[in-house]
């Protein structure tokens, strides 16, 4: 059943590869040199506590699959510490692990500051309402902790230092200091200009201008030459474009179209839309996360209620700012009552948020609608 690692142009598939920490460290130099987009390390349980090695700035993985590795909360601690400030992974699959509620709480802490991850798969992980509440809280307003406030002040001070270093020095009066020698150079130019207005020097200047100015004929010739050169360049460009339209060009174009559009969000610690209540700094939650899979867990109606409140908050606050927030949420095979009001409202809300949702057309004739049913 063991498969050998398959290296493709866009990714590496090493599921059932029997990898361990040593092989991961040996794989890291390849990942930093080759632009690998997708990395599948499914069913490699000996690497369960070492996947944080891959979360470096030099490693630009965008799609990481860690399914079936038996990862627990202890294994996830170091990984989540690296995920907090990761700028490359946009899709992460933790399907069929053992992270539980404590692992989800650890993961939710990293999602407080991470604004790169778009898709998260947490199916088959023994998650209950406790872990679901942690995810729901990340999607709403966040109260900064003491450590986050200290990091915020540090970022603000560093930004002020960088902006002040770029500005020119000023005098005590507030005017910008001029570079040495600028006044003398400008004065010499003005003196020459005054001399050139009259006298022999002025006449010589006029003669020199006549010599420097090209004639109309020369201009027309140069323009014609330019058009001929442009035509020649155009023909060569068209030839090169026609060559790129071959199978290799089409394959490159398809790969470019399949690349997901990533949006760079501002660091939440320096978010402009913050508020202060009772001496606490409150910032918007994680609105970068667009897809969450919670299938086959142990979520009940209480967890559904927490998710409904979080998405209701996004509807009223986040969506008004032009940010979409969570677009897809799946809760199949859980311990919840699908006939409950909050579940029905949640599913209706997610149906409207789905980017492929098309609002049904209103029937003009009610009789036709009844006969059709």
């Amino acid at each position: 059943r063991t498969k050998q690692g398959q290296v493709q142009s866009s990714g590496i598939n090493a599921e059932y590869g029997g990898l361990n920490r040593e092989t991961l460290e040996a794989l890291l130099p390849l990942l930093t040199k080759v632009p690998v987009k997708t990395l599948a390390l499914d069913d490699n349980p000996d690497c369960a506590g070492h996947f944080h090695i891959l979360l470096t700035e030099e490693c630009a993985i965008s799609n990481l699959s860690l399914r079936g590795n038996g990862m627990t909360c202890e294994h996830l601690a170091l990984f989540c510490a690296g995920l907090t400030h990761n700028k490359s992974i946009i899709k992460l699959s933790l399907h069929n692990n053992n992270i539980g509620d404590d692992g989800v709480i650890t993961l939710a802490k990293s999602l407080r500051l991470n604004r790169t991850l778009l898709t998260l798969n947490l199916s088959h992980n023994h998650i209950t309402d406790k872990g679901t509440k942690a995810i729901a809280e990340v999607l709403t307003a966040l109260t900064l902790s003491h450590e986050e406030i200290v990091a915020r002040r540090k970022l603000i001070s560093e930004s002020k230092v960088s902006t002040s270093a770029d500005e020119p020095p000023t005098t005590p009066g507030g005017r910008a200091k001029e570079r040495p020698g600028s006044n003398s150079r400008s004065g010499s130019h003005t003196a020459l200009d005054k001399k050139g207005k009259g006298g022999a020097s002025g006449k010589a200047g006029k003669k020199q201008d006549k010599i420097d100015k090209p004639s109309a004929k020369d201009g027309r010739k140069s323009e014609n030459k330019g058009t001929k050169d442009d035509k020649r360049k155009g023909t060569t460009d068209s030839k090169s474009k026609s060559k790129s339209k071959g199978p290799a060009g089409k394959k490159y174009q398809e790969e470019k179209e399949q690349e997901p559009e990533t949006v760079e969000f501002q660091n939440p610690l320096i978010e402009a839309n913050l508020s202060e209540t009772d001496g606490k700094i409150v910032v918007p939650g994680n609105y970068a996360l667009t897809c969450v899979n919670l299938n086959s867990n142990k979520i009940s109606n209480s967890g559904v209620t927490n998710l409904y409140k979080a998405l209701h908050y996004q509807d009223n606050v986040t969506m008004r700012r032009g940010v979409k927030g969570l677009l897809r949420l799946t809760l199949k095979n859980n311990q919840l009552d699908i006939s409950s009001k909050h579940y029905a409202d949640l599913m209706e809300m997610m149906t409207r948020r789905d980017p492929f949702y098309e609002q049904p057309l209103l029937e003009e004739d009610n009789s036709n609608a009844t006969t059709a049913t």
Side-chain angles (χ1 to χ4, degrees), residues 362-372:
L362 296 176
E363 294 288 346
E364 296 180 359
D365 189 1
N366 294 330
S367 60
N368 293 335
T370 54
T371 54

Side-chain angles (χ1 to χ4, degrees), residues 37 63-64 92 98 106 118 137 142-143 153 155 212 218 232 248 280 295 315 333 343 348 357:
K37 300 176 185 178
N63 184 0
L64 180 61
L92 174 64
N98 298 314
T106 304
L118 304 179
E137 289 175 350
L142 300 175
T143 302
R153 291 173 180 172
L155 288 173
D212 293 339
D218 295 336
R232 290 173 184 173
K280 298 179 180 179
N295 291 342
D315 263 354
N333 300 326
Y343 180 80
E348 182 184 356
Y357 169 71

Side-chain angles (χ1 to χ4, degrees), residues 101-169:
D101 291 331
D102 293 336
V104 173
I105 293 172
T106 304
L107 181 62
K109 290 180 181 178
S110 66
L111 294 178
R112 289 172 64 90
L113 300 181
N114 183 291
R115 293 297 182 269
T116 307
L117 188 65
L118 304 179
T119 302
L120 178 62
N121 187 349
L122 294 174
S123 58
H124 288 274
N125 270 290
H126 311 288
I127 301 171
T128 66
D129 297 335
K130 183 181 177 181
T132 308
K133 183 180 179 182
I135 297 175
E137 289 175 350
V138 171
L139 303 176
T140 58
L142 300 175
T143 302
L144 296 185
S145 62
H146 175 71
E147 292 79 8
E148 291 170 343
I149 292 175
V150 172
R152 167 184 164 81
R153 291 173 180 172
K154 184 178 179 182
L155 288 173
I156 292 174
S157 62
E158 289 176 354
S159 64
K160 287 182 179 179
V161 170
S162 61
T163 53
S164 61
D166 296 336
E167 292 178 357

Side-chain angles (χ1 to χ4, degrees), residues 245-305:
K245 288 182 180 179
K250 288 181 179 178
K251 185 177 180 182
Y252 174 77
Q253 187 66 23
E254 290 176 357
E255 291 178 356
K256 292 293 287 182
E257 290 176 356
Q258 291 176 0
E259 290 182 1
E261 294 183 2
T262 55
V263 181
E264 292 187 1
F265 291 92
Q266 189 181 19
N267 191 324
L269 294 180
I270 53 176
E271 177 73 43
N273 298 306
L274 57 85
S275 60
E276 294 187 12
T277 55
D278 300 331
K280 298 179 180 179
I281 300 178
V282 181
V283 298
N286 189 322
Y287 45 80
L289 198 62
T290 59
C291 181
V292 176
N293 185 347
L294 292 172
N295 291 342
S296 302
N297 284 293
K298 300 178 181 180
I299 303 171
S300 66
N301 293 341
S302 177
V304 172
T305 302

Side-chain angles (χ1 to χ4, degrees), residues 79-108:
F79 182 83
C80 290
L83 186 66
T84 301
H85 303 287
N86 183 267
K87 302 275 181 162
S88 63
I89 297 178
I90 62 176
K91 187 176 181 181
L92 174 64
S93 178
L94 296 172
H95 166 80
N96 195 21
N97 281 282
N98 298 314
I99 62 176
D101 291 331
D102 293 336
V104 173
I105 293 172
T106 304
L107 181 62

